[in-house]
Amino acid sequence: MTMDNIGAVTQEILFLGTGIMGAPMARRLGLAGLSVVAWNRTENKAHELAGAGVRTVRDLRDLGCKLRLVVVMLSTGEVVDQVLFSPAAGCPVVEILTPGSVVIVMSSISVESALRQAEQLQARGIDYVDAPVSGGERGAMAGSLTIMAGGGIDTCQRIQPILAHLGTMTRVGAVGSGQLSKLANQLIVGISIGAVAEALVLAELGGADPRAVCNALQGGFADSTVLRQHGARMLDGRFDPGAHCTTQLKDLSTALALGSKLGGNFPLLTLCTELYATLCRSNRQSLDHSALYLEARDRTPLGSS
Amino acid sequence: MTMDNIGAVTQEILFLGTGIMGAPMARRLGLAGLSVVAWNRTENKAHELAGAGVRTVRDLRDLGCKLRLVVVMLSTGEVVDQVLFSPAAGCPVVEILTPGSVVIVMSSISVESALRQAEQLQARGIDYVDAPVSGGERGAMAGSLTIMAGGGIDTCQRIQPILAHLGTMTRVGAVGSGQLSKLANQLIVGISIGAVAEALVLAELGGADPRAVCNALQGGFADSTVLRQHGARMLDGRFDPGAHCTTQLKDLSTALALGSKLGGNFPLLTLCTELYATLCRSNRQSLDHSALYLEARDRTPLGSS
């Protein structure tokens, strides 16, 4: 792949949304020597970003030029809509883009929102890639995010060298496929947390040492990132949120609604969504998604201890 | 830990059961320089074992001496009972053991069988460890099994140097805990296969490239041994059995029965057991346990294609 025809694109990158994930991502692009200008709804982290060579603006009309590459890490699909198509940032982003530009939405939003945004932009000759991530704040800071990209083959090839500063990008299909892949990720993570929770509860209920069981299982076919990271959280009782159980419930519900709309029946996903709904209705709704373990314990005589 | 007081124990090891798993395990002990005599219900692999310095006998009465360490890798709890306590192998194994001997049962059997066997042996002053494994034939050949050991702390320490030739042993609690830990392992494996199956079906149903999704997810929180190994099997349609779905159903049913007996409610385990029961009632019952993917597809419009 050559960088030739993205020379113009990389002249200046507009980065929208410098929150928990966006700020370290924008920093990494700046530190890599790319020319980055950042915008956020509230004026945060401007000083920190300046240290990485990232300029910040409060109003897109102050940019004074048209841009060709936009990276979006805003909180929801609705906010992405507002900033792209209405004057939430001073003027709609679409008005400062030229045909042939690329918009990369790295927020986790619905497949439907991604398809709608892509359609609106493509009507103006602007390319769109949905590229949500897995890996959390730590992955954002380390540049080790898993990036699931949905978009045209050529467009994905063009943006790959830029996203390489943020993590490993895999093209998983046409527009919308990135968000679909993120839902598949959340489905596996949610159900795996439930499985590890039931396994550790069964082990303890039967009289084994659950910590030793958790260690032993890491050597075999049951090994997983969830067993290692969330197993340890469960046994330590550390439920300060990395990822909120409410976010997990939202993602599972979205996956389930999409699966149903496509005519499918997903029994494990359905049950796991119900289990997270129970968790989120309890007084534990502000905890990490690994707190599903506490619900699993409550379904046994261990719960009253 | 000293090896001093197991000197006598290691003089000769009796290995019972030289099937798919047992034969390579006995070979490894022989190749490590330990003195091993093997017995099997049928005369198999004697020549292959001899090459590793392992002597075989057809009748335990021909041994001509008493032994102090027995490793058992027979097929079921019932067969283990027969060989230990009735003359299935010429004479009951208990009759050629002296007080202070150790019996290590590495077969996957029920917790109840393990407790009963331990009780009968302890009445004769013989120690018992249940030490089932995860890792399959490949792990047995490579000496990289995960060994989940239940038994006394001292006894587990005494046998650790011997089991180290077969894999990594973790003591997970008192007698029975090894089998309990194996059930916890099977619970996680079974539910994880179901989760990966639903995730890959959702991705394909929504129009993404499931192979690319499977690759992308290996970088993030959804990563697991099941995703890597069984995800590939599902996408390649390779369902020749490594582990039979009937075995998976048996293990999940055992775990569920135990969990219920202990007063617990395990919703994901319950559902996953039902899914495997459906699979085993179909014309797919002779396939690998990853064939749960085919059932997941059948619950969507993809199933008719």
Side-chain angles (χ1 to χ4, degrees), chain B residues 8 19 93 109 124 153 180 200 205 210 214 291 295:
Chain B
V93 168
I109 66 175
R124 293 168 177 254
I153 293 173
L180 181 61
L200 294 181
L205 189 64
C214 186
E295 295 294 306

PDB file of all heavy atoms in Angstrom, chain B residues 8 19 93 109 124 153 180 200 205 210 214 291 295:
ATOM      1  N   ALA B   8      10.767 -44.601  48.197  1.00  0.00           N
ATOM      2  CA  ALA B   8      10.160 -45.930  48.134  1.00  0.00           C
ATOM      3  C   ALA B   8       8.968 -45.941  47.173  1.00  0.00           C
ATOM      4  O   ALA B   8       8.776 -46.881  46.419  1.00  0.00           O
ATOM      5  CB  ALA B   8       9.709 -46.361  49.523  1.00  0.00           C
ATOM      6  N   GLY B  19      -5.021 -45.993  27.202  1.00  0.00           N
ATOM      7  CA  GLY B  19      -5.811 -45.589  26.032  1.00  0.00           C
ATOM      8  C   GLY B  19      -5.232 -44.338  25.386  1.00  0.00           C
ATOM      9  O   GLY B  19      -4.035 -44.060  25.497  1.00  0.00           O
ATOM     10  N   VAL B  93      -6.558 -53.963  42.973  1.00  0.00           N
ATOM     11  CA  VAL B  93      -5.353 -53.141  43.155  1.00  0.00           C
ATOM     12  C   VAL B  93      -5.074 -52.923  44.635  1.00  0.00           C
ATOM     13  O   VAL B  93      -3.914 -52.934  45.061  1.00  0.00           O
ATOM     14  CB  VAL B  93      -5.496 -51.789  42.408  1.00  0.00           C
ATOM     15  CG1 VAL B  93      -4.392 -50.818  42.818  1.00  0.00           C
ATOM     16  CG2 VAL B  93      -5.445 -52.016  40.904  1.00  0.00           C
ATOM     17  N   ILE B 109     -14.105 -38.377  36.583  1.00  0.00           N
ATOM     18  CA  ILE B 109     -15.202 -39.167  37.158  1.00  0.00           C
ATOM     19  C   ILE B 109     -16.029 -38.241  38.050  1.00  0.00           C
ATOM     20  O   ILE B 109     -15.681 -37.063  38.217  1.00  0.00           O
ATOM     21  CB  ILE B 109     -14.665 -40.378  37.962  1.00  0.00           C
ATOM     22  CG1 ILE B 109     -13.882 -39.900  39.197  1.00  0.00           C
ATOM     23  CG2 ILE B 109     -13.773 -41.260  37.086  1.00  0.00           C
ATOM     24  CD1 ILE B 109     -13.415 -41.027  40.102  1.00  0.00           C
ATOM     25  N   ARG B 124      -7.875 -48.256  54.554  1.00  0.00           N
ATOM     26  CA  ARG B 124      -6.711 -49.156  54.534  1.00  0.00           C
ATOM     27  C   ARG B 124      -5.394 -48.390  54.644  1.00  0.00           C
ATOM     28  O   ARG B 124      -4.324 -48.923  54.352  1.00  0.00           O
ATOM     29  CB  ARG B 124      -6.682 -49.934  53.215  1.00  0.00           C
ATOM     30  CG  ARG B 124      -7.826 -50.924  53.033  1.00  0.00           C
ATOM     31  CD  ARG B 124      -7.850 -51.392  51.590  1.00  0.00           C
ATOM     32  NE  ARG B 124      -8.875 -52.389  51.339  1.00  0.00           N
ATOM     33  CZ  ARG B 124      -8.649 -53.688  51.157  1.00  0.00           C
ATOM     34  NH1 ARG B 124      -7.427 -54.160  51.220  1.00  0.00           N
ATOM     35  NH2 ARG B 124      -9.636 -54.510  50.913  1.00  0.00           N
ATOM     36  N   ILE B 153      -2.601 -31.754  51.445  1.00  0.00           N
ATOM     37  CA  ILE B 153      -1.501 -30.877  51.035  1.00  0.00           C
ATOM     38  C   ILE B 153      -0.199 -31.674  50.918  1.00  0.00           C
ATOM     39  O   ILE B 153       0.511 -31.587  49.905  1.00  0.00           O
ATOM     40  CB  ILE B 153      -1.336 -29.701  52.040  1.00  0.00           C
ATOM     41  CG1 ILE B 153      -2.564 -28.786  51.967  1.00  0.00           C
ATOM     42  CG2 ILE B 153      -0.057 -28.911  51.741  1.00  0.00           C
ATOM     43  CD1 ILE B 153      -2.587 -27.699  53.028  1.00  0.00           C
ATOM     44  N   LEU B 180     -14.314 -31.441  40.764  1.00  0.00           N
ATOM     45  CA  LEU B 180     -15.151 -30.240  40.770  1.00  0.00           C
ATOM     46  C   LEU B 180     -14.562 -29.174  39.845  1.00  0.00           C
ATOM     47  O   LEU B 180     -15.267 -28.511  39.074  1.00  0.00           O
ATOM     48  CB  LEU B 180     -15.239 -29.721  42.210  1.00  0.00           C
ATOM     49  CG  LEU B 180     -16.080 -28.487  42.480  1.00  0.00           C
ATOM     50  CD1 LEU B 180     -17.532 -28.734  42.116  1.00  0.00           C
ATOM     51  CD2 LEU B 180     -15.978 -28.106  43.965  1.00  0.00           C
ATOM     52  N   LEU B 200     -20.468 -15.424  16.034  1.00  0.00           N
ATOM     53  CA  LEU B 200     -20.091 -15.588  14.622  1.00  0.00           C
ATOM     54  C   LEU B 200     -21.333 -15.654  13.737  1.00  0.00           C
ATOM     55  O   LEU B 200     -21.334 -15.140  12.610  1.00  0.00           O
ATOM     56  CB  LEU B 200     -19.217 -16.831  14.440  1.00  0.00           C
ATOM     57  CG  LEU B 200     -17.845 -16.768  15.122  1.00  0.00           C
ATOM     58  CD1 LEU B 200     -17.050 -18.037  14.852  1.00  0.00           C
ATOM     59  CD2 LEU B 200     -17.052 -15.540  14.650  1.00  0.00           C
ATOM     60  N   LEU B 205     -24.879 -13.106   9.872  1.00  0.00           N
ATOM     61  CA  LEU B 205     -26.272 -12.747   9.580  1.00  0.00           C
ATOM     62  C   LEU B 205     -26.385 -11.248   9.259  1.00  0.00           C
ATOM     63  O   LEU B 205     -27.168 -10.847   8.394  1.00  0.00           O
ATOM     64  CB  LEU B 205     -27.137 -13.093  10.802  1.00  0.00           C
ATOM     65  CG  LEU B 205     -28.653 -13.009  10.660  1.00  0.00           C
ATOM     66  CD1 LEU B 205     -29.162 -14.017   9.638  1.00  0.00           C
ATOM     67  CD2 LEU B 205     -29.321 -13.272  12.026  1.00  0.00           C
ATOM     68  N   PRO B 210     -17.363 -13.191   8.791  1.00  0.00           N
ATOM     69  CA  PRO B 210     -17.165 -13.808  10.114  1.00  0.00           C
ATOM     70  C   PRO B 210     -15.719 -14.203  10.390  1.00  0.00           C
ATOM     71  O   PRO B 210     -15.265 -14.194  11.529  1.00  0.00           O
ATOM     72  CB  PRO B 210     -18.085 -15.038  10.091  1.00  0.00           C
ATOM     73  CG  PRO B 210     -18.417 -15.272   8.665  1.00  0.00           C
ATOM     74  CD  PRO B 210     -18.291 -13.963   7.949  1.00  0.00           C
ATOM     75  N   CYS B 214     -13.685 -12.928  13.547  1.00  0.00           N
ATOM     76  CA  CYS B 214     -13.013 -13.867  14.464  1.00  0.00           C
ATOM     77  C   CYS B 214     -11.563 -13.452  14.681  1.00  0.00           C
ATOM     78  O   CYS B 214     -11.065 -13.454  15.809  1.00  0.00           O
ATOM     79  CB  CYS B 214     -13.100 -15.278  13.890  1.00  0.00           C
ATOM     80  SG  CYS B 214     -12.481 -16.562  14.993  1.00  0.00           S
ATOM     81  N   ALA B 291     -19.701 -28.237  17.262  1.00  0.00           N
ATOM     82  CA  ALA B 291     -20.842 -28.303  16.340  1.00  0.00           C
ATOM     83  C   ALA B 291     -22.077 -27.596  16.907  1.00  0.00           C
ATOM     84  O   ALA B 291     -23.090 -27.478  16.224  1.00  0.00           O
ATOM     85  CB  ALA B 291     -21.167 -29.756  15.996  1.00  0.00           C
ATOM     86  N   GLU B 295     -26.163 -25.697  15.361  1.00  0.00           N
ATOM     87  CA  GLU B 295     -27.463 -25.459  15.991  1.00  0.00           C
ATOM     88  C   GLU B 295     -27.760 -23.965  16.060  1.00  0.00           C
ATOM     89  O   GLU B 295     -28.895 -23.534  15.864  1.00  0.00           O
ATOM     90  CB  GLU B 295     -27.481 -26.048  17.409  1.00  0.00           C
ATOM     91  CG  GLU B 295     -27.348 -27.554  17.471  1.00  0.00           C
ATOM     92  CD  GLU B 295     -28.537 -28.262  16.861  1.00  0.00           C
ATOM     93  OE1 GLU B 295     -29.676 -27.991  17.260  1.00  0.00           O
ATOM     94  OE2 GLU B 295     -28.302 -29.088  15.968  1.00  0.00           O
TER      95      GLU B 295
END
